[in-house]
Amino acid sequence: MNRSDLEALAQRELQRQQAFRCRILCCASTPCLSSGATAVYDAINAAIKEGELDAEVQAVSTGCMGPCSRGPMVTVQVKDEGEFIYEHVSPEVGRQLVTYHARSAASPAEELPEPLRTRLLPSDMPFFAKQKKVVLSNSGLIDPERLEDYVARGGYAALAHALREMTPEEVCREIINSGLRGRGGAGYPTGLKWDMVRKARGDKKYVIANGDEGDPGAYMDRTLMESDPHRVLEGMAIAGYAVGADQGYIYVRGEYPIAAKRLERAIRTAERRGLLGSRILDSNFNFRIDVRIGAGAFVCGEETALMASIMGRRGQPTPRPPYPAQSGLWGKPTLINNVETFGNIAPIIQNGAEWFASIGTAKSKGTKIFALAGKVATTGLIEVPMGITLREIVYDIGGGIPNDLAFKAAQTGGPSGGCIPAQYLDTPVDYESLKALGSIMGSGGLIIMDEHSCMVDVAKFFMEFCMDESCGKCVPCRVGTVQMHRLLERITDGSATLQDLETLKELCVMVKETSLCGLGQSAPNPVLSTIQYFLDEYEAHIRERRCPAGVCTLEKTPVTEWVHA
Amino acid sequence: MSVKTSPPPRARPQAAREHPSGDPRFNLIDRTLKRFSYQQDALIEVLHTAQETFGFLSDDLLIYVARQLKLPLSWVYGVATFYHFFTLKPQGKHTCIVCMGTACYVKRAAEIVAALQQAFHVEPGGTTADGLLSLSTARCLGSCGLAPVLVLDGEVLGRETPESTLERVRQLLLTERSEAAPSANGDAVHVTNGGIHEPI
């Protein structure tokens, strides 16, 4: 396949899609599937068949649309009328959608027949209006299993452009100019990393996409891999061309079988069409991608541990330097980026570095995907421009805290991040601002907590996580996390003294400074940030033996102390 | 100890029959071994297949994989015990995995685990004495919008409470004891080994 074949394929697919009067897009990503999306899709297909509407109505099973707590989600695109997004669609509602939209021209939203009216989401809903989709621009609109759908929306055009009109050096320069930074959490400039691998000497180089998204509460990478697998593959292929690699690995968490399956299928179709494999798009560039499935180890998100796991070993990190850019997989120069980072590449090449750099803040460019969860009205997956405030995310996009409770804290960055209290709700979300608050951008988990969440308990939860997930290679992390967890346990069961709090702080600094890899270095973050902002809660647990949020059961209640006093 | 990427060793087409147990399931493992041309780097993939086929990694299985890949048994054991996904103990007839990710934790998933623990006398990661129910916890199933989430015999169930979970598990064990077919839940995704298989 060459460039004109690619364009012809896109044209053919567009024409095919435009032949339908009405396209019904049904979300088929994990959260909607667990709410019964399969039955909805089947019911819609059955209704199309019964009504003999095959020529006018097309049902498509797509990726994630965003508001996961409102699933199963269905979007109806009607020619000349626009889009209608429905929440909580049951098989019965699905059938009604078909008969209604296929036949009648849509009436204003207020005049829709029940039960469609109550399930229609307003078109100006802030959940959608405040977002900016760059990486997820195809998610929820295309069938992730069909290459044609992706090509019709401009897919693989960036790869074709890069191969034909750019040198590897120019590709790296473009990425540097765009200001894109790693989306895995640390925020290292992507272009610089690419340039380093490009300049590294070696007969063989590798590209790895890190899809080992271990942070509890984060599922951005999974959704991207499930909803738009070709976007990730295209980004990896462009990276391979830029750094001079001919082999890529995409490391998928073992808990994400749907993502792995869709990626494998996407790789096979792309190879068949000559978009991956040998002589891509009739150029001299060869690039193969293999999927590697993880086996459940949080530490494998760390790059050196991930490479050990790809090589079939225990996923234990090794000291850096040497960095993977010099000596990675099997000792060869290796480029390793997060899946979401690769998702940004095709739009940058296609629209130019300047366009990308115009989104976001001075130092953090582009958009970021967050998995919004916890005590917020609409949970789900959102993509927002960098620099948006937390308040906009929580109150506009998320729709506020349910039951009229007060916002207490937002937890970003999972077990490596920290909690941001209510007084910083107006901080712009970018790498520097979050770091200044003692948290991190992280991979994108954003958990909202209300006044019923105990911050000491949350810190203990993350410490238990790090304790379980510590690989055991270095002492500060292996022993330190256990001791910190023990101290936190004493605080939450009421047997702690103020001295324990001091010991805890000391231990946090020590583990942070002396651990081998990111897991240990960042494990104390949740404790440090909660001590910084919620010291009163720690003190209430210790001095008054009372949990202000009412979560922890302390051995002695204040009432008995009053009696004895 | 260094493990080199050795060239593919001589193919052993009779491997399945060589195994003293004569178990045909070993053919599936051999297929994976061949797909990766007996490369030692493919150890994790082979263990994945082995666990999918047998349900857990028995000592025999580890020895077999070690021999086939020409790796020291200690190396294979080290990898198998490092990753949470691999289990060296047989699992119960029914499995209940409770998600303990942050979103589920904030929505009190710990209470569900405590309730199950108390009602069925089983620790997370363990199996009941009658071998009927295995209880385990997961780090995050990525369905945070539906928190708290649990996976009961492959069905992902969202927005659970301790009461509703106990009721479901009781029903399941009851039908098991009366040897009736387990009832199917229409709104379910089918999952094995903690993973989610796509029904479409």
Side-chain angles (χ1 to χ4, degrees):
Chain A
M1 178 180 262
N2 58 30
R3 203 173 178 179
S4 52
D5 294 339
L6 190 70
E7 278 158 14
L9 180 70
Q11 279 307 320
R12 266 205 311 280
E13 178 61 23
L14 275 179
Q15 274 167 13
R16 194 183 80 91
Q17 289 181 6
Q18 276 158 7
F20 294 104
R21 196 187 103 74
C22 169
R23 297 183 78 220
I24 302 182
L25 313 174
C26 310
C27 178
S29 67
T30 309
C32 280
L33 288 178
S34 4
S35 324
T38 316
V40 176
Y41 181 68
D42 292 344
I44 288 175
N45 264 327
I48 294 175
K49 212 162 200 176
E50 275 165 32
E52 292 179 353
L53 297 164
D54 304 53
E56 297 151 56
V57 185
Q58 182 196 21
V60 188
S61 110
T62 69
C64 181
M65 299 178 185
C68 305
S69 59
R70 292 167 183 260
M73 299 290 301
V74 171
T75 304
V76 184
Q77 292 178 327
V78 188
K79 219 183 198 170
D80 307 324
E81 286 175 22
E83 272 187 9
F84 304 83
I85 304 176
Y86 294 92
E87 59 173 349
H88 297 305
V89 178
S90 62
E92 180 47 37
V93 175
R95 268 189 288 274
Q96 293 179 2
L97 277 176
V98 175
T99 42
Y100 178 75
H101 282 289
R103 288 284 174 243
S104 42
S107 43
E110 309 81 60
E111 290 165 35
L112 273 177
E114 279 298 335
L116 302 188
R117 187 163 60 89
T118 41
R119 287 185 167 76
L120 179 70
L121 295 178
S123 52
D124 56 350
M125 191 173 157
F127 183 88
F128 298 106
K130 288 253 174 178
Q131 294 194 47
K132 179 159 183 68
K133 304 242 173 164
V134 173
V135 179
L136 294 177
S137 56
N138 293 335
S139 176
L141 294 175
I142 63 166
D143 182 345
E145 309 213 337
R146 287 191 75 234
L147 174 75
E148 293 84 352
D149 275 26
Y150 179 65
V151 171
R153 288 188 58 85
Y156 288 106
L159 177 63
H161 177 77
L163 288 181
R164 228 178 114 107
E165 280 151 44
M166 294 169 92
T167 63
E169 204 176 344
E170 281 168 355
V171 176
C172 290
R173 179 102 336 246
E174 192 79 0
I175 303 297
I176 293 175
N177 289 343
S178 73
L180 174 67
R181 296 169 64 175
R183 296 292 192 246
Y188 189 80
T190 306
L192 293 182
K193 208 189 237 182
W194 285 30
D195 218 34
M196 221 148 53
V197 182
R198 185 180 67 82
K199 286 177 184 155
R201 270 187 224 185
D203 50 335
K204 178 108 183 154
K205 294 180 187 174
Y206 295 98
V207 171
I208 302 176
N210 182 349
D212 188 62
E213 181 178 46
D215 289 5
Y219 53 100
M220 302 75 44
D221 294 351
R222 185 202 66 201
T223 309
L224 181 59
M225 293 185 286
E226 272 180 19
S227 305
D228 201 0
H230 286 288
R231 171 64 71 83
V232 181
L233 302 181
E234 185 180 2
M236 288 177 74
I238 295 172
Y241 174 69
V243 303
D246 64 354
Q247 172 72 50
Y249 289 101
I250 178 158
Y251 190 89
V252 185
R253 220 180 139 207
E255 285 85 343
Y256 295 168
I258 299 184
K261 203 177 121 197
R262 288 192 183 161
L263 280 168
E264 260 162 14
R265 184 178 294 193
I267 292 170
R268 273 202 308 276
T269 25
E271 276 177 354
R272 235 185 353 252
R273 296 274 191 165
L275 296 165
L276 282 178
S278 311
R279 296 188 54 79
I280 294 174
L281 286 159
D282 289 347
S283 70
N284 289 325
F285 173 57
N286 307 322
F287 192 68
R288 274 186 51 82
I289 298 180
D290 283 312
V291 175
R292 284 284 178 273
I293 315 275
F298 175 66
V299 71
C300 287
E302 203 276 341
E303 51 187 19
T304 54
L306 188 145
M307 289 188 299
S309 183
I310 289 182
M311 294 186 281
R313 305 174 189 174
R314 287 165 68 97
Q316 285 179 318
T318 48
R320 295 175 300 179
Y323 285 93
Q326 272 93 43
S327 167
L329 271 186
W330 295 288
K332 308 289 183 197
T334 303
L335 171 74
I336 173 160
N337 275 139
N338 183 266
V339 163
E340 191 187 335
T341 314
F342 283 119
N344 277 297
I345 302 302
I348 293 177
I349 298 295
Q350 223 166 356
N351 304 323
E354 279 171 25
W355 163 81
F356 190 80
S358 69
I359 310 168
T361 62
K363 284 191 171 167
S364 306
K365 304 292 185 196
T367 58
K368 177 81 193 89
I369 311 178
F370 285 103
L372 188 60
K375 305 280 184 66
V376 61
T378 305
T379 59
L381 204 75
I382 58 168
E383 182 172 1
V384 288
M386 295 273 191
I388 191 172
T389 63
L390 262 180
R391 187 182 299 279
E392 285 173 282
I393 294 182
V394 176
Y395 286 95
D396 296 344
I397 296 177
I401 318 284
N403 306 328
D404 287 330
L405 292 171
F407 171 88
K408 185 172 197 176
Q411 210 281 340
T412 67
S416 322
C419 294
I420 300 167
Q423 67 260 39
Y424 294 110
L425 262 177
D426 289 308
T427 322
V429 174
D430 60 37
Y431 290 100
E432 278 73 31
S433 309
L434 291 185
K435 206 169 174 191
L437 291 179
S439 186
I440 57 165
M441 176 76 85
S443 54
L446 183 57
I447 302 193
I448 309 300
M449 293 176 226
D450 65 15
E451 47 197 291
H452 289 319
S453 307
C454 169
M455 303 318 280
V456 187
D457 188 55
V458 168
K460 190 179 81 174
F461 167 76
F462 283 120
M463 192 51 71
E464 190 188 348
F465 181 89
C466 291
M467 179 179 82
D468 276 358
E469 295 294 340
S470 172
C471 75
K473 181 165 177 169
C474 74
V475 178
C477 175
R478 183 180 69 221
V479 181
T481 49
V482 175
Q483 295 304 332
M484 286 190 284
H485 181 255
R486 196 171 288 169
L487 287 168
L488 286 164
E489 216 160 40
R490 281 171 67 169
I491 297 176
T492 51
D493 72 15
S495 58
T497 61
L498 282 172
Q499 182 56 43
D500 286 332
L501 191 59
E502 290 307 311
T503 316
L504 179 63
K505 284 188 207 165
E506 222 170 88
L507 206 52
C508 282
V509 177
M510 203 255 280
V511 171
K512 201 177 163 109
E513 309 257 300
T514 54
S515 290
L516 171 63
C517 81
L519 194 157
Q521 287 161 11
S522 61
N525 282 357
V527 181
L528 285 172
S529 84
T530 45
I531 289 183
Q532 187 181 351
Y533 297 118
F534 300 97
L535 187 63
D536 53 327
E537 282 194 32
Y538 279 86
E539 290 183 342
H541 280 80
I542 298 169
R543 282 183 210 270
E544 302 163 33
R545 303 191 191 283
R546 168 180 80 85
C547 176
V551 174
C552 312
T553 39
L554 294 115
E555 286 168 348
K556 283 186 192 168
T557 61
V559 182
T560 54
E561 289 217 334
W562 273 74
V563 171
H564 290 303
Chain B
M1 184 175 7
S2 76
V3 171
K4 283 183 227 140
T5 317
S6 59
R10 271 157 280 134
R12 300 173 66 180
Q14 303 298 312
R17 260 166 277 169
E18 274 173 30
H19 196 270
S21 70
D23 192 326
R25 289 179 292 182
F26 279 94
N27 288 324
L28 289 168
I29 301 180
D30 288 357
R31 203 179 293 163
T32 307
L33 285 164
K34 266 181 219 144
R35 187 153 67 89
F36 289 97
S37 14
Y38 291 82
Q39 278 182 27
Q40 296 176 332
D41 303 332
L43 174 59
I44 294 178
E45 272 71 23
V46 177
L47 289 180
H48 265 303
T49 312
Q51 174 150 315
E52 254 165 56
T53 318
F54 287 82
F56 73 105
L57 300 173
S58 61
D59 292 352
D60 279 354
L61 219 44
L62 293 178
I63 295 169
Y64 182 71
V65 171
R67 290 227 176 116
Q68 292 294 309
L69 292 177
K70 296 198 165 63
L71 280 168
L73 183 56
S74 61
W75 182 277
V76 176
Y77 184 76
V79 170
T81 50
F82 183 83
Y83 295 99
H84 301 303
F85 202 80
F86 300 126
T87 164
L88 305 188
K89 283 179 287 186
Q91 295 295 295
K93 197 158 181 196
H94 299 282
T95 54
C96 180
I97 307 164
V98 184
C99 179
M100 288 287 267
T102 325
C104 295
Y105 186 77
V106 169
K107 295 203 170 176
R108 312 275 166 100
E111 289 173 15
I112 299 181
V113 177
L116 287 170
Q117 229 171 316
Q118 208 178 11
F120 301 101
H121 309 289
V122 56
E123 291 289 314
T127 307
T128 50
D130 55 6
L132 279 182
L133 180 73
S134 286
L135 176 66
S136 56
T137 56
R139 273 314 173 192
C140 181
L141 299 166
S143 295
C144 308
L146 306 171
V149 176
L150 62 98
V151 184
L152 189 57
D153 276 353
E155 295 168 7
V156 179
L157 306 162
R159 299 191 188 94
E160 285 290 312
T161 62
E163 295 76 35
S164 67
T165 308
L166 281 184
E167 187 50 39
R168 280 180 201 276
V169 177
R170 274 209 190 96
Q171 281 294 323
L172 194 71
L173 297 190
L174 213 65
T175 46
E176 176 64 40
R177 284 187 185 119
S178 61
E179 296 205 336
S183 66
N185 185 320
D187 286 353
V189 190
H190 286 271
V191 182
T192 50
N193 294 330
I196 298 164
H197 283 233
E198 193 180 14
I200 295 174

